[in-house]
């Protein structure tokens, strides 16, 4: 779900992670992709795709930023990114 908008169903990829070393510890950069119906997405989120870039979306209870959003004729692909402190 983007912001406080409606839930959109899609197929979720596995999280991809990279580690960055920073003073005092490590930070993990996380990227995840969701693919679903363009028709359903457009009903729930009718604004232009670029209006959603940088906005917060919630996936599995975790807030991430939308870094890419591509609407095709049949499918929409959204890439979410975020960071966390490494354990």
């Amino acid at each position: 779900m983007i912001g406080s908008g409606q839930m959109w169903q899609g197929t979720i990829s596995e999280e991809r992670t990279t580690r960055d070393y920073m003073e005092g510890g490590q930070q993990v950069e996380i990227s995840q992709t969701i693919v679903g119906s363009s028709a359903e997405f457009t009903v729930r989120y009718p604004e232009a795709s670029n209006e959603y870039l940088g906005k917060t979306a919630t996936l599995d209870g975790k807030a991430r930023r939308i870094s890419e959003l591509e609407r095709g004729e049949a499918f929409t692909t959204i890439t979410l990114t975020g960071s966390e402190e490494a354990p």
Side-chain angles (χ1 to χ4, degrees):
M1 132 171 77
I2 300 173
S4 60
Q6 298 179 26
M7 184 73 79
W8 174 64
Q9 298 294 321
T11 301
I12 303 168
S13 71
E14 293 289 322
E15 286 185 349
R16 291 175 288 168
T17 60
T18 59
R19 289 183 182 260
D20 289 330
Y21 295 94
M22 56 186 212
E23 190 173 323
Q26 296 180 32
Q27 188 168 353
V28 177
E29 291 293 324
I30 299 165
S31 176
Q32 199 162 18
T33 303
I34 308 157
V35 178
S37 163
S38 286
E40 184 181 330
F41 184 83
T42 300
V43 166
R44 287 169 172 69
Y45 300 99
E47 295 180 33
S49 296
N50 63 346
E51 293 293 319
Y52 300 106
L53 297 177
K55 292 198 176 190
T56 301
T58 305
L59 179 62
D60 295 332
K62 298 177 184 175
R64 305 273 188 247
R65 296 272 176 206
I66 297 173
S67 60
E68 296 177 26
L69 194 155
E70 296 179 31
R71 286 189 215 207
E73 190 172 320
F75 297 102
T76 292
T77 303
I78 299 175
T79 302
L80 305 175
T81 55
S83 59
E84 299 176 351
E85 278 193 39

